[in-house]
Amino acid sequence: MGSSFFARASAPDSILLIAAGNGLGHARRLLNIGVNWSEEVPVTIAVTDKQIGLLQSEMRELHPNVQRLRFITIPIIGLQGPENENSSLSYKSIHSSGLEELFSARMIFSDNALWPWRFRHDSVFLGHFTWVDYYSAQIARGRKVGDLYQNFLVIEKDLQAQVQKAVILEDFSFGDINKSCLTFPVKLPRYKELNHQVPIEHGTAHLALGRTGIEKVSLEEISRKFPDWKIKTQETYLLGKTGYLPEMIIGRPGIGTLRDCIQSNLKFYPIGYDDPELESNVNVILRNSKFDAKTKIFEQINPRRYRDWE
């Protein structure tokens, strides 16, 4: 995703990239997009304190190009789930969060966060935006959430209805606002190639859960399911940092995790994908990889085979 994005119009003279705070993948994606775009225009990236901390190793790999970027930290704003209902109050404190750039940048590009629309109606959005569909269905089936959160869902759904410009990842869902007149497809950004001289430790699998948290998954249960595998807990953004690569990743099928598997041609076993966004991700890799129906393991999801994510 580079100069071709600006082919439809002249490049703006400054860009603010805003990452949704509910996961590292949004920030990683914008880091790579920002490095690419910063060849043409000044780029500022807005991330949370936690995200900027976890990005450090990848930022070192992108040195010196990453020096072209400017970073600001913001609080977690937007839809985080019923367990974080107070995040909706962040809408009221946005003006004190150091985001004057919202009004000075010539272009706003937001990854999976709709709240910038409340301040800049010319914002452009990248993401799935299926969470309102998911949580609305959960509530309809009897899931209990507080009044504050239900009101917040109404706000987010209203924002979806007002979006004017959106970018959709090729072959992926885009919630209720997947309208051809508002969206156009792009490919995922190319991440820095890993050192393929790093040996693969066969029979080893890494349990990578992303923002879901290890406390929600039983490592013992996973180990019983894969008795012939040596299971370790490690997120995929650390791949190659320990001197070896695992043979397989077990984890939540977020785009960042899947992109790491594709980049390194690792096997993948998905867990915890009971929402439309993650189901969509699994359906995409199902069409573009070798799938063992008995073990439920995906193989050969390397970039040469994976035309959607080249």
Side-chain angles (χ1 to χ4, degrees):
M1 185 189 296
S3 301
S4 60
F5 181 84
F6 298 117
R8 297 164 184 259
S10 59
D13 55 19
S14 63
I15 298 176
L16 174 63
L17 305 181
I18 300 174
N22 60 340
L24 181 60
H26 308 298
R28 291 185 66 201
R29 190 156 56 203
L30 290 187
L31 175 63
N32 285 269
I33 290 174
V35 165
N36 194 325
W37 285 358
S38 65
E39 295 178 357
E40 303 178 53
V41 294
V43 173
T44 297
I45 302 182
V47 292
T48 66
D49 285 325
K50 184 176 182 180
Q51 287 171 330
I52 194 68
L54 294 174
L55 284 174
Q56 292 303 308
S57 61
E58 195 157 357
M59 289 170 64
R60 285 192 290 271
E61 292 178 358
L62 292 171
H63 185 82
N65 295 334
V66 75
Q67 290 182 314
R68 296 194 300 261
L69 303 176
R70 175 172 173 258
F71 292 88
I72 60 172
T73 57
I74 58 175
I76 294 179
I77 301 167
L79 196 67
Q80 305 301 317
E83 67 276 14
N84 295 295
E85 289 182 6
N86 61 350
S87 66
S88 61
L89 297 177
S90 296
Y91 277 150
K92 299 178 182 179
S93 60
I94 181 71
H95 290 290
S96 62
S97 65
L99 280 182
E100 293 82 3
E101 285 80 1
L102 266 174
F103 304 101
S104 61
R106 290 294 297 275
M107 175 182 172
I108 306 296
F109 189 83
S110 176
D111 188 314
N112 221 49
L114 285 175
W115 60 263
W117 174 261
R118 294 171 67 94
F119 304 93
R120 285 283 296 268
H121 288 181
D122 58 348
S123 300
V124 181
F125 299 92
L126 167 67
H128 285 79
F129 300 105
T130 58
W131 57 71
V132 172
D133 307 337
Y134 169 70
Y135 281 114
S136 296
Q138 292 282 307
I139 292 171
R141 288 197 291 268
R143 181 170 180 172
K144 301 299 183 183
V145 298
D147 292 339
L148 177 62
Y149 186 76
Q150 294 204 47
N151 291 336
F152 190 47
L153 282 175
V154 173
I155 294 173
E156 292 285 313
K157 192 167 186 178
D158 180 60
L159 289 175
Q160 283 191 6
Q162 298 180 62
V163 166
Q164 297 296 312
K165 298 178 182 179
V167 178
I168 182 172
L169 296 174
E170 283 192 345
D171 223 3
F172 286 80
S173 62
F174 203 77
D176 287 336
I177 56 174
N178 185 12
K179 303 172 183 176
S180 59
C181 61
L182 299 180
T183 63
F184 60 92
V186 296
K187 293 184 180 297
L188 285 176
R190 293 180 182 273
Y191 288 170
K192 180 180 174 63
E193 292 293 331
L194 284 178
N195 179 4
H196 290 286
Q197 300 302 313
V198 176
I200 291 181
E201 189 172 296
H202 293 284
T204 296
H206 283 179
L207 180 60
L209 300 175
R211 66 183 175 87
T212 55
I214 187 62
E215 71 278 358
K216 297 184 179 180
V217 175
S218 168
L219 185 58
E220 291 184 0
E221 184 178 337
I222 294 293
S223 298
R224 286 195 297 269
K225 189 175 185 64
F226 296 96
D228 298 326
W229 291 76
K230 183 179 180 181
I231 310 295
K232 299 181 180 180
T233 301
Q234 187 175 98
E235 298 303 323
T236 58
Y237 69 90
L238 295 171
L239 280 173
K241 305 295 191 302
T242 54
Y244 73 93
L245 292 175
E247 183 178 354
M248 180 171 67
I249 298 296
I250 302 170
R252 177 181 178 274
I255 287 180
T257 298
L258 292 178
R259 186 60 182 81
D260 291 331
C261 291
I262 294 167
Q263 176 180 305
S264 300
N265 193 16
L266 304 179
K267 297 177 182 179
F268 181 70
Y269 181 85
I271 58 175
Y273 56 100
D274 60 341
D275 71 62
E277 173 184 339
L278 301 182
E279 288 176 2
S280 170
N281 294 351
V282 170
N283 287 335
V284 172
I285 62 171
L286 183 62
R287 290 194 298 272
N288 296 281
S289 64
K290 179 181 177 182
F291 178 66
D292 188 321
K294 182 177 180 180
T295 64
K296 309 298 184 185
I297 294 174
F298 292 91
E299 299 182 36
Q300 298 179 12
I301 53 176
N302 60 74
R304 291 182 297 278
R305 180 183 179 95
Y306 216 89
R307 61 181 182 273
D308 292 315
W309 289 13
E310 291 178 335

